[in-house]
Amino acid sequence: GGKGPPAVLTLQVTMLDTDMRGPRAADGPGGRTLHVSVLINSASNLPMAPGEAGGVSKAPAAFVAAKTMREAAARLPSRAATRAVPNSCDPVWNEVLTVEVSEGEIDREKILIAVVNHDTNKLMAKAAVPLRALLVGRHYNLRLLLGGGEDGPCINVTVVLPSAPAKELEHLKQHEGLMRVEGAVMGVTPGATGDASAAAAGALGPVTAVWRVEPDADAARAAPTSQPLVLHTPVDASNEDAVVAALTKISNDNAADVVPTLQGASLGGPPLWPTGHRAALTCPLATVAEGANPALVLELHNGGG
C-alpha cells in the first residue's frame, strides 16, 4: 500500500466441533422466541410521489417497516421500522430491524418488508422473505426487485437468523462431522495514510467481510485477488419460489459467509450490526484434520467491490 503504518484489524473467532454423538437436552414445549435481524441497506429507483391536486411530483420520504406474516394476519402494526429519508428516490438507511418469531413457526413464517412514503403514508412497494431456507447464523444478501426488472425499483437487504437452537440441531443431525466457525470484525483502524492515499489504495469504506475456510493457508495466500464482490443477489420479490431458490443457493455455499460489516466512507466507519454479531459458516472436520495447512480466510472488500 502507501506510506505510513498499515491498517490494524481486530478479530474474534470461535471454532466449534459439531459432532452430534452423545445425549442432548430437548427443547421445552412451545419453542423459544427467536429474533430475525434484517439489515435495511438501501433502495434504488423508487417512484416519484404525485403532487397534491395535480401539482409537481416530488421524491418520497421513504422508510421501511418489517413484520411477520402472523402479525400481518392479526392486523398488528409493525414494531420495527427505519427512519424516513426525505426527498430521495435512492435512500440509504443502513439500519438493522429486529423481528420476533416463534421457533415452532419458523419454517412457516415470512418476513414482510414494506416501503412506505412518510409524507403520504402510502405503501410504495412490498416484499416477503420466507424463513424456511435460512441456515442459522448465515447472512443472506438480497436485492429484492420490486417491479420492472433490474432497472426498476429495488431494495437491498441482508437477512440473518442469529440463533435458533432446535433448527440448528436438526440441521447438524443431518450433517454430522462438521465444524462450525464464527467470526466477527471487531474494528479496523486505518493506517495514517490520509484520505487521499487511502482512496488511491482502495482502502475506503463501506466494508464487507467475506469469511471462508481453506485447506491450505499458503495456497490461499498465494491465490490471485478475487473478482470484485457483487454483494446482493437480485431476485424477483413477487415470486416466492424464486426468493426461496436464491436463499437455497446461498445456503448451499456453506463454506463461506458474506457480511456487510462497516458503513461510512472510511475504514473507521461505524459497525452495521450490534456488538457481538458474528458471521457463521460450517466446514467438514476433515478439511481441518486432513488439510495441509488449514486456515480461516478473511477478505475485506470496500464499497466498490
Side-chain angles (χ1 to χ4, degrees):
K3 298 178 180 178
V8 177
L9 183 64
T10 305
L11 305 177
Q12 185 177 66
V13 177
T14 303
M15 305 183 77
L16 303 171
D17 182 345
T18 57
D19 191 337
M20 298 304 300
R21 290 172 294 185
R24 293 180 179 264
D27 291 330
R32 299 170 172 83
T33 296
L34 307 177
H35 296 90
V36 180
S37 297
V38 185
L39 169 62
I40 307 297
N41 173 236
S42 62
S44 300
N45 302 322
L46 295 181
M48 300 284 283
E52 295 182 4
V56 177
S57 59
K58 58 179 290 189
F63 70 91
V64 178
K67 66 172 67 173
T68 64
M69 185 174 62
R70 180 185 58 79
E71 289 172 326
R75 298 186 178 277
L76 297 175
S78 297
R79 293 182 290 174
T82 68
R83 71 192 188 284
V85 176
N87 195 35
S88 179
C89 292
D90 303 296
V92 176
W93 296 280
N94 279 332
E95 294 185 42
V96 176
L97 305 182
T98 301
V99 179
E100 293 185 351
V101 179
S102 169
E103 189 166 30
E105 298 176 354
I106 193 163
D107 286 338
R108 300 185 297 274
E109 265 291 9
K110 306 173 187 176
I111 300 297
L112 308 181
I113 297 170
V115 184
V116 182
N117 185 352
H118 181 269
D119 290 342
T120 62
N121 203 32
K122 290 186 176 180
L123 177 68
M124 302 178 67
K126 60 183 179 179
V129 179
L131 300 180
R132 62 182 182 272
L134 270 58
L135 295 179
V136 178
R138 291 295 306 280
H139 292 72
Y140 295 83
N141 304 297
L142 301 174
R143 171 165 293 174
L144 297 169
L145 307 179
L146 304 173
E150 295 198 34
D151 295 328
C154 66
I155 182 169
N156 297 314
V157 303
T158 299
V159 182
V160 58
L161 178 62
S163 176
K167 185 177 178 70
E168 185 169 23
L169 181 64
E170 183 60 30
H171 175 75
L172 295 176
K173 282 180 178 179
Q174 298 174 17
H175 302 84
E176 292 191 16
L178 295 178
M179 172 172 283
R180 178 180 172 90
V181 181
E182 298 179 350
V185 176
M186 307 302 291
V188 181
T189 304
T193 59
D195 287 345
S197 298
L204 296 181
V207 174
T208 297
V210 180
W211 300 82
R212 67 181 191 275
V213 174
E214 294 286 353
D216 189 332
D218 294 332
R221 191 179 294 113
T225 303
S226 63
Q227 296 297 314
L229 176 68
V230 178
L231 177 58
H232 297 98
T233 299
V235 60
D236 180 1
S238 68
N239 185 335
E240 182 173 320
D241 289 341
V243 175
V244 171
L247 296 172
T248 301
K249 183 177 180 180
I250 296 171
S251 294
N252 288 341
D253 185 12
N254 59 8
D257 196 15
V258 181
V259 188
T261 300
L262 303 175
Q263 59 180 302
S266 74
L267 290 180
L272 286 165
W273 304 93
T275 300
H277 187 85
R278 297 182 175 192
L281 57 152
T282 58
C283 70
L285 284 169
T287 300
V288 177
E290 303 171 10
N293 184 19
L296 176 63
V297 177
L298 170 63
E299 293 181 355
L300 295 181
H301 294 251
N302 68 2

